[in-house]
Amino acid sequence: MRKVFPKTGIDWPALEAEMAALSDEDIDWRHGRAPLYVFHGSDSAYEVGRQAFMKYFSENALGGRRAFFGLKRMEDEVIEMGLDLFQAPDGAVGNMSTGGSESIFMAVKACRDWARGQTRLKEPFNIIAPFTAHAAFNKAADVMDLEVRRLDTAADRRADVGAMAAAVDDSTIMVVGSAPCFPHGVIDHIEELSALALDRDIWLHVDACVGGYVAPFFQRMGRRIPLYDFALPGVRTLSADLHKFGFCPKPASTLFYRLEEDRERGLFHFDQWPNGQFSTATLSGTRAGGAVAAAWAVMHHLGVDGYTAIARDLAAMADAYVSGIKAIDGLYLVADPDLTIINFAADDFDIFSVAEAMGTRGWLPGLTQNPKGMHAMLSMFHETGREEYLADLESCVEQVKGTNSQSGLKAVY
Ligand SMILES: Cc1ncc(COP(=O)(O)O)c(C=O)c1O
């Protein structure tokens, strides 16, 4: 039955109680039972982000230049800190957006507009990406009438750069690499992609949406992280999400351009309407001021030392998950994760049946297809539930092993 718009207003205490009741059946994500969607770094980063968000709850980042100068300054500083982190050369620029999909969209738009000015490039344009690239590239391509050619990865689940090079033709405008890819958590061979992009004079976008704000700190604590940022000369744009492993409140992402003229290509300008000049660097018009303020505050609160300390905790936790999973007979990691995304599979029994059994125990299953696997993007929410998860996983594997069980589950993001 359709909800009726209430005639008289309802006070907050009653609304609060109703809202709590509405979420009664939610997955217990605070205790690590959701393998995606939510992130946690530290309690203090959470609290600083929340407080800062609420302070700028009503401000609109769209009006940063004309009305909310403090917010504009904060956005500029978030970008400058990101440029510093990603080793961008002088002259590089960037802007915040509302998420990874939007950052990717704007990078593709800038690239498409650049390509239109290159007479050697023939429409319809295409983008060459590994099978593992995020769906957002197809979303952008769908809107802009571009084609995405997804190629199988190499045996290590990283982009097969040789195959990508062979697929480049007169209509290829962009090659994509992920740092890391969402399905398997491995960083593509960005150094080789950079060389390919320079050699063929095409755009390389590095999608560091999920790993951008954590990989540099894994590196600082001594982990071997392959190069993926502007230190590589072929990297033309890079997206990195603050609302993931930057531990900032949603919605907050960053998009960086090596060249200022490319950012200009990403902008939308229009003045043929009554309100005159309208210019944005994002698909969105209005943007939450709170998200900008919170990102600024969390980055300052944690600093390099704070992010490195969280990276240390994350790495220890991810290692414990990996060894716990490897210790369960019949399970193996699809790839050795570079950061904290894990994907594991089984050859002797149906892994989706295991996932289904985990679902009945209150764990939202993360699933991948081609190959079939179970998936989790681990943040500090997952430390609390780790032992219980591994114990349940072992028992669900035992339950499924030796049966011909075939789950009807499908991989869903
Ligand atoms: C590698 C990668 N790119 C892009 C995105 C899209 O980000 P968003 O959901 O913020 O649009 C994600 C989301 O998980 C991702 O993992």
Side-chain angles (χ1 to χ4, degrees):
M1 215 178 41
R2 183 190 285 173
K3 171 87 179 177
V4 176
F5 206 129
K7 182 162 178 330
T8 48
I10 305 169
D11 286 342
W12 172 242
L15 290 173
E16 192 180 23
E18 195 176 334
M19 286 165 73
L22 282 170
S23 294
D24 264 358
E25 305 290 305
D26 284 6
I27 296 289
D28 185 7
W29 51 271
R30 288 185 181 82
H31 297 101
R33 285 173 178 265
L36 72 174
Y37 308 135
V38 283
F39 302 84
H40 190 68
S42 71
D43 291 349
S44 72
Y46 170 84
E47 196 47 33
V48 165
R50 203 176 68 84
Q51 297 277 0
F53 195 106
M54 297 319 284
K55 276 218 176 305
Y56 283 80
F57 181 75
S58 298
E59 281 86 340
N60 183 347
L62 174 64
R65 276 180 201 287
R66 300 191 62 228
F68 312 113
F69 309 117
L71 211 53
K72 172 73 173 74
R73 179 84 207 120
M74 286 186 246
E75 181 161 359
D76 288 348
E77 289 189 6
V78 165
I79 293 304
E80 285 162 23
M81 288 187 275
L83 290 168
D84 184 34
L85 193 64
F86 300 123
Q87 310 190 70
D90 288 348
V93 293
N95 54 264
M96 290 186 71
S97 80
T98 59
S101 301
E102 192 178 35
S103 290
I104 288 169
F105 188 96
M106 298 317 298
V108 172
K109 179 203 172 310
C111 173
R112 193 269 320 255
D113 288 5
W114 162 78
R116 283 177 171 168
Q118 308 290 307
T119 46
R120 71 193 164 87
L121 292 169
K122 311 272 175 281
E123 296 203 51
F125 296 140
N126 68 66
I127 294 171
I128 309 282
F131 176 56
T132 49
H134 194 270
F137 290 95
N138 283 72
K139 188 190 270 192
D142 198 46
V143 176
M144 288 181 257
D145 282 335
L146 309 170
E147 183 195 352
V148 181
R149 296 184 181 162
R150 286 177 179 262
L151 304 184
D152 285 345
T153 53
D156 60 2
R157 307 280 172 198
R158 297 171 207 264
D160 182 341
V161 182
M164 288 174 74
V168 170
D169 64 18
D170 290 347
S171 300
T172 302
I173 60 173
M174 177 184 269
V175 284
V176 172
S178 308
C181 67
F182 184 69
H184 309 303
V186 291
I187 298 177
D188 286 327
H189 302 291
I190 308 292
E191 197 162 354
E192 292 173 30
L193 284 170
S194 163
L196 169 64
L198 290 176
D199 183 46
R200 306 294 287 270
D201 191 13
I202 44 179
W203 195 295
L204 168 59
H205 179 77
V206 173
D207 177 8
C209 281
V210 70
Y213 284 100
V214 70
F217 305 105
F218 266 56
Q219 206 161 31
R220 278 183 176 80
M221 54 168 276
R223 294 277 168 135
R224 278 197 50 224
I225 299 293
L227 275 180
Y228 68 93
D229 65 11
F230 287 106
L232 298 169
V235 176
R236 194 139 168 187
T237 40
L238 181 148
S239 50
D241 292 353
L242 288 160
H243 65 200
K244 294 190 171 80
F245 288 93
F247 308 113
C248 299
K250 302 172 187 70
S253 173
T254 46
L255 172 62
F256 302 99
Y257 299 86
R258 175 180 294 277
L259 306 171
E260 189 161 6
E261 69 215 51
D262 283 345
R263 180 163 179 275
E264 212 29 63
R265 294 178 168 114
L267 297 179
F268 173 77
H269 297 295
F270 184 71
D271 68 358
Q272 299 303 299
W273 70 317
N275 286 73
Q277 185 63 47
F278 179 92
S279 298
T280 50
T282 50
L283 203 53
S284 322
T286 288
R287 285 184 297 127
V292 172
W296 182 90
V298 170
M299 289 169 94
H300 279 88
H301 171 68
L302 288 175
V304 168
D305 290 349
Y307 277 110
T308 309
I310 295 174
R312 206 165 273 125
D313 292 344
L314 286 168
M317 176 188 58
D319 289 351
Y321 268 95
V322 167
S323 54
I325 289 161
K326 283 183 172 167
I328 298 174
D329 192 36
L331 295 181
Y332 62 89
L333 268 291
V334 175
D336 281 329
D338 283 323
L339 299 167
T340 71
I341 294 178
I342 52 170
N343 183 210
F344 54 95
D347 290 336
D348 303 332
F349 49 87
D350 177 39
I351 192 74
F352 281 12
S353 297
V354 175
E356 200 169 333
M358 289 292 277
T360 64
R361 298 180 186 213
W363 302 97
L364 176 68
L367 301 173
T368 53
Q369 58 183 3
N370 306 322
K372 268 173 117 176
M374 286 181 70
H375 178 266
M377 175 164 56
L378 305 167
S379 75
M380 292 319 291
F381 280 136
H382 298 92
E383 179 55 16
T384 5
R386 178 169 53 83
E387 285 180 8
E388 207 184 336
Y389 178 90
L390 291 170
D392 278 352
L393 185 62
E394 186 167 21
S395 125
C396 291
V397 165
E398 284 311 311
Q399 189 182 316
V400 170
K401 231 185 212 173
T403 69
N404 290 326
S405 168
Q406 283 293 327
S407 166
L409 285 182
K410 297 239 175 312
V412 183
Y413 189 86

